[in-house]
Amino acid sequence: MGWISPFQLNRLGMLNMNRRNVDYISRYNSRVSYPLVDNKLKTKLVVAEYDVRTPKLLQVVRQQHEISRFRQMAEDLSGFAIKPAKGSGGKGITVITGRDGDEFVKASGARVPASYLERHLSNILAGLYSLAGSPDVAIVESLVESIPELAKYSFQGVPDIRIVVFQGYPVMAMLRLATTASDGKANLHQGAIGVGLNIANGRSLNAVQFNRPISLHPDTGLAMENIAIADWQEMLVMASRCYEATGLGYMGVDLVVDVNEGPLLLELNARPGLAIQMANGRGLLPRLRKIESMRKPHFTPEDRAAYAMETFTPKF
């Protein structure tokens, strides 16, 4: 991809980092709301009051002496996920997908003993993965099993959907697919694939890896076109509800579609990245300004989702 000038990027409606930080994050996100989204446990508790489902909470480990209870709790579980409450970028998350005798099987296929997971819990409490290295809390959740229609596109990792929500309106979305390069994580900076999604119907528009267009998944070989997300309108409504739950005017909402539970919220992000624009092949600014210029906002999540589906259909 050749060099493109700031003027050209502006004409394309691309939101840059400085403008995002000053005009949207600083302006629309109250600092008092940050602790809600920077802590996965607090997020789970607050969104539940707004009918936003999350993976089932199996255990909360707050103190080192509580780690001894983990082995007993996990004895009959075939799968679960361990997460640092204040982790970011997927750091510190360990996913267990099965058992092999006394050992636990990680998503990568590696087998580890219970003592390995207990040490991991101890490291989480010590703040190894938390923002600023502060002491943390470990949460153990039920294993998310992606629906086969989406799971087949991702390599050794659960695909998720990032929706940018502005003033309660879903304005842009992408599907994130794990790759070998991303080590099974849906992290675009590490090499995951971003697939832009049509807000109107949840269908794929465009796909990028390392900000470069691609048409086939490098590991699965599957085409990135004609992907469709099930329960799309329900996911937009869930994302919109997070506005009332947190009060954040500009955020990223990360969702998955579980084979048994349907759409679930994974986490919220008060500082969502800008790569979603590359995945969609268009900028965020026109959509953000459209919302800012509205004289009469919609007051329910359902109405805001319906408005977004009607208004932000890409014009080709």
Side-chain angles (χ1 to χ4, degrees):
M1 185 177 293
W3 182 83
I4 184 167
S5 72
F7 175 75
Q8 289 173 301
L9 287 172
N10 194 52
R11 285 190 62 189
L12 291 170
M14 302 295 281
L15 179 66
N16 63 40
M17 188 173 293
N18 286 339
R19 180 168 284 176
R20 180 203 66 173
N21 293 345
V22 175
D23 292 351
Y24 293 98
I25 292 178
S26 295
R27 182 178 177 187
Y28 290 100
N29 288 353
S30 170
R31 297 296 302 184
V32 299
S33 297
Y34 277 62
L36 288 177
V37 296
D38 286 343
N39 186 310
K40 294 180 180 65
L41 181 58
K42 290 182 178 180
T43 297
K44 288 176 74 72
L45 298 177
V46 73
V47 300
E49 299 176 18
Y50 292 83
D51 197 26
V52 176
R53 299 184 304 278
T54 60
K56 182 181 177 182
L57 185 61
L58 301 175
Q59 185 181 16
V60 179
V61 181
R62 293 184 170 88
Q63 304 290 336
Q64 290 286 345
H65 68 84
E66 295 174 337
I67 294 176
S68 60
R69 303 175 196 163
F70 165 76
R71 193 177 299 222
Q72 181 180 0
M73 185 280 302
E75 193 163 330
D76 297 323
L77 294 177
S78 59
F80 52 86
I82 299 174
K83 301 178 180 180
K86 293 187 286 188
S88 63
K91 296 175 184 175
I93 296 177
T94 295
V95 177
I96 299 299
T97 58
R99 297 288 290 270
D100 185 4
D102 291 334
E103 293 186 312
F104 295 87
V105 182
K106 297 174 68 175
S108 63
R111 284 151 174 76
V112 296
S115 58
Y116 171 93
L117 299 179
E118 289 171 333
R119 284 195 301 274
H120 184 60
L121 289 168
S122 182
N123 287 335
I124 289 175
L125 298 187
L128 189 62
Y129 310 103
S130 69
L131 298 167
S134 59
D136 204 352
V137 169
I139 59 177
V140 186
E141 293 180 336
S142 60
L143 180 67
V144 171
E145 296 184 59
S146 178
I147 57 174
E149 299 93 315
L150 288 183
K152 67 181 182 181
Y153 289 102
S154 196
F155 185 76
Q156 291 186 347
V158 175
D160 70 13
I161 293 95
R162 158 67 58 87
I163 301 175
V164 172
V165 176
F166 178 57
Q167 295 293 82
Y169 292 84
V171 292
M172 192 169 282
M174 69 174 166
L175 170 67
R176 299 186 293 194
L177 303 171
T179 65
T180 297
S182 70
D183 192 29
K185 295 181 173 64
N187 187 312
L188 265 62
H189 295 294
Q190 295 179 10
I193 295 169
V195 182
L197 298 173
N198 188 336
I199 283 285
N201 53 28
R203 293 185 174 274
S204 57
L205 296 168
N206 182 56
V208 296
Q209 185 184 32
F210 295 117
N211 287 335
R212 295 183 178 276
I214 64 168
S215 57
L216 301 176
H217 192 294
D219 302 301
T220 68
L222 293 176
M224 296 292 94
E225 60 183 5
N226 299 321
I227 300 175
I229 308 298
D231 305 308
W232 181 243
Q233 187 164 3
E234 181 182 355
M235 297 185 82
L236 293 183
V237 172
M238 285 177 66
S240 184
R241 284 183 184 142
C242 294
Y243 173 60
E244 276 83 7
T246 65
L248 286 172
Y250 186 81
M251 64 181 155
V253 178
D254 296 343
L255 301 157
V256 292
V257 186
D258 184 79
V259 69
N260 297 310
E261 303 294 329
L264 298 172
L265 173 72
L266 279 185
E267 63 180 5
L268 300 175
N269 192 319
R271 314 163 192 82
L274 299 170
I276 193 169
Q277 299 175 110
M278 299 296 291
N280 276 266
R282 64 202 72 240
L284 272 163
L285 271 177
R287 300 185 184 190
L288 299 176
R289 288 170 174 164
K290 178 77 172 177
I291 300 300
E292 287 180 304
S293 67
M294 290 179 61
R295 294 185 178 180
K296 288 186 177 182
H298 300 82
F299 293 107
T300 70
E302 291 78 9
D303 287 344
R304 294 194 297 265
Y307 174 84
M309 293 175 76
E310 179 181 349
T311 305
F312 299 133
T313 301
K315 305 295 190 297
F316 296 99

PDB file of all heavy atoms in Angstrom, residues 220-232:
ATOM      1  N   THR A 220      -6.705 -21.281   7.374  1.00  0.00           N
ATOM      2  CA  THR A 220      -7.833 -22.153   6.999  1.00  0.00           C
ATOM      3  C   THR A 220      -8.052 -22.202   5.496  1.00  0.00           C
ATOM      4  O   THR A 220      -8.670 -23.142   4.983  1.00  0.00           O
ATOM      5  CB  THR A 220      -9.135 -21.679   7.668  1.00  0.00           C
ATOM      6  OG1 THR A 220      -9.535 -20.417   7.108  1.00  0.00           O
ATOM      7  CG2 THR A 220      -8.958 -21.527   9.173  1.00  0.00           C
ATOM      8  N   GLY A 221      -7.570 -21.182   4.775  1.00  0.00           N
ATOM      9  CA  GLY A 221      -7.760 -21.124   3.332  1.00  0.00           C
ATOM     10  C   GLY A 221      -9.152 -20.712   2.914  1.00  0.00           C
ATOM     11  O   GLY A 221      -9.455 -20.660   1.709  1.00  0.00           O
ATOM     12  N   LEU A 222     -10.015 -20.399   3.882  1.00  0.00           N
ATOM     13  CA  LEU A 222     -11.395 -20.038   3.557  1.00  0.00           C
ATOM     14  C   LEU A 222     -11.488 -18.592   3.070  1.00  0.00           C
ATOM     15  O   LEU A 222     -10.752 -17.713   3.535  1.00  0.00           O
ATOM     16  CB  LEU A 222     -12.299 -20.224   4.775  1.00  0.00           C
ATOM     17  CG  LEU A 222     -12.501 -21.673   5.237  1.00  0.00           C
ATOM     18  CD1 LEU A 222     -13.335 -21.716   6.513  1.00  0.00           C
ATOM     19  CD2 LEU A 222     -13.187 -22.486   4.133  1.00  0.00           C
ATOM     20  N   ALA A 223     -12.417 -18.354   2.148  1.00  0.00           N
ATOM     21  CA  ALA A 223     -12.636 -17.004   1.622  1.00  0.00           C
ATOM     22  C   ALA A 223     -13.290 -16.124   2.675  1.00  0.00           C
ATOM     23  O   ALA A 223     -14.135 -16.579   3.449  1.00  0.00           O
ATOM     24  CB  ALA A 223     -13.515 -17.069   0.373  1.00  0.00           C
ATOM     25  N   MET A 224     -12.901 -14.873   2.684  1.00  0.00           N
ATOM     26  CA  MET A 224     -13.418 -13.924   3.669  1.00  0.00           C
ATOM     27  C   MET A 224     -14.687 -13.224   3.201  1.00  0.00           C
ATOM     28  O   MET A 224     -15.230 -12.382   3.913  1.00  0.00           O
ATOM     29  CB  MET A 224     -12.349 -12.870   3.987  1.00  0.00           C
ATOM     30  CG  MET A 224     -11.091 -13.423   4.643  1.00  0.00           C
ATOM     31  SD  MET A 224     -11.350 -14.048   6.329  1.00  0.00           S
ATOM     32  CE  MET A 224     -11.642 -15.799   6.051  1.00  0.00           C
ATOM     33  N   GLU A 225     -15.170 -13.567   2.031  1.00  0.00           N
ATOM     34  CA  GLU A 225     -16.414 -12.968   1.551  1.00  0.00           C
ATOM     35  C   GLU A 225     -17.603 -13.856   1.909  1.00  0.00           C
ATOM     36  O   GLU A 225     -17.456 -15.038   2.219  1.00  0.00           O
ATOM     37  CB  GLU A 225     -16.359 -12.774   0.028  1.00  0.00           C
ATOM     38  CG  GLU A 225     -16.176 -14.063  -0.763  1.00  0.00           C
ATOM     39  CD  GLU A 225     -16.063 -13.817  -2.254  1.00  0.00           C
ATOM     40  OE1 GLU A 225     -16.026 -12.634  -2.653  1.00  0.00           O
ATOM     41  OE2 GLU A 225     -16.012 -14.799  -2.999  1.00  0.00           O
ATOM     42  N   ASN A 226     -18.771 -13.236   1.922  1.00  0.00           N
ATOM     43  CA  ASN A 226     -20.031 -13.946   2.187  1.00  0.00           C
ATOM     44  C   ASN A 226     -20.124 -14.535   3.594  1.00  0.00           C
ATOM     45  O   ASN A 226     -20.842 -15.513   3.817  1.00  0.00           O
ATOM     46  CB  ASN A 226     -20.264 -15.054   1.151  1.00  0.00           C
ATOM     47  CG  ASN A 226     -20.357 -14.517  -0.266  1.00  0.00           C
ATOM     48  OD1 ASN A 226     -20.940 -13.455  -0.491  1.00  0.00           O
ATOM     49  ND2 ASN A 226     -19.766 -15.219  -1.220  1.00  0.00           N
ATOM     50  N   ILE A 227     -19.392 -13.959   4.541  1.00  0.00           N
ATOM     51  CA  ILE A 227     -19.558 -14.341   5.945  1.00  0.00           C
ATOM     52  C   ILE A 227     -20.765 -13.587   6.499  1.00  0.00           C
ATOM     53  O   ILE A 227     -20.929 -12.386   6.252  1.00  0.00           O
ATOM     54  CB  ILE A 227     -18.310 -13.995   6.777  1.00  0.00           C
ATOM     55  CG1 ILE A 227     -17.079 -14.738   6.229  1.00  0.00           C
ATOM     56  CG2 ILE A 227     -18.519 -14.323   8.251  1.00  0.00           C
ATOM     57  CD1 ILE A 227     -15.778 -14.357   6.919  1.00  0.00           C
ATOM     58  N   ALA A 228     -21.617 -14.278   7.226  1.00  0.00           N
ATOM     59  CA  ALA A 228     -22.798 -13.639   7.816  1.00  0.00           C
ATOM     60  C   ALA A 228     -22.865 -13.964   9.302  1.00  0.00           C
ATOM     61  O   ALA A 228     -22.631 -15.100   9.707  1.00  0.00           O
ATOM     62  CB  ALA A 228     -24.068 -14.113   7.111  1.00  0.00           C
ATOM     63  N   ILE A 229     -23.160 -12.968  10.117  1.00  0.00           N
ATOM     64  CA  ILE A 229     -23.232 -13.125  11.570  1.00  0.00           C
ATOM     65  C   ILE A 229     -24.678 -13.411  11.986  1.00  0.00           C
ATOM     66  O   ILE A 229     -25.587 -12.650  11.653  1.00  0.00           O
ATOM     67  CB  ILE A 229     -22.741 -11.863  12.303  1.00  0.00           C
ATOM     68  CG1 ILE A 229     -21.363 -11.443  11.781  1.00  0.00           C
ATOM     69  CG2 ILE A 229     -22.709 -12.096  13.808  1.00  0.00           C
ATOM     70  CD1 ILE A 229     -20.269 -12.447  11.999  1.00  0.00           C
ATOM     71  N   ALA A 230     -24.866 -14.501  12.721  1.00  0.00           N
ATOM     72  CA  ALA A 230     -26.200 -14.833  13.221  1.00  0.00           C
ATOM     73  C   ALA A 230     -26.598 -13.869  14.337  1.00  0.00           C
ATOM     74  O   ALA A 230     -25.743 -13.287  15.002  1.00  0.00           O
ATOM     75  CB  ALA A 230     -26.214 -16.273  13.735  1.00  0.00           C
ATOM     76  N   ASP A 231     -27.900 -13.698  14.534  1.00  0.00           N
ATOM     77  CA  ASP A 231     -28.429 -12.858  15.623  1.00  0.00           C
ATOM     78  C   ASP A 231     -27.872 -11.438  15.570  1.00  0.00           C
ATOM     79  O   ASP A 231     -27.600 -10.816  16.607  1.00  0.00           O
ATOM     80  CB  ASP A 231     -28.102 -13.478  16.996  1.00  0.00           C
ATOM     81  CG  ASP A 231     -28.593 -14.911  17.129  1.00  0.00           C
ATOM     82  OD1 ASP A 231     -29.784 -15.150  16.860  1.00  0.00           O
ATOM     83  OD2 ASP A 231     -27.785 -15.782  17.494  1.00  0.00           O
ATOM     84  N   TRP A 232     -27.720 -10.903  14.362  1.00  0.00           N
ATOM     85  CA  TRP A 232     -27.046  -9.623  14.202  1.00  0.00           C
ATOM     86  C   TRP A 232     -27.764  -8.469  14.899  1.00  0.00           C
ATOM     87  O   TRP A 232     -27.159  -7.684  15.637  1.00  0.00           O
ATOM     88  CB  TRP A 232     -26.862  -9.297  12.724  1.00  0.00           C
ATOM     89  CG  TRP A 232     -26.148  -8.008  12.481  1.00  0.00           C
ATOM     90  CD1 TRP A 232     -26.614  -6.892  11.862  1.00  0.00           C
ATOM     91  CD2 TRP A 232     -24.808  -7.686  12.892  1.00  0.00           C
ATOM     92  NE1 TRP A 232     -25.674  -5.912  11.844  1.00  0.00           N
ATOM     93  CE2 TRP A 232     -24.549  -6.372  12.471  1.00  0.00           C
ATOM     94  CE3 TRP A 232     -23.807  -8.393  13.564  1.00  0.00           C
ATOM     95  CZ2 TRP A 232     -23.334  -5.734  12.698  1.00  0.00           C
ATOM     96  CZ3 TRP A 232     -22.599  -7.762  13.804  1.00  0.00           C
ATOM     97  CH2 TRP A 232     -22.367  -6.447  13.374  1.00  0.00           C
TER      98      TRP A 232
END
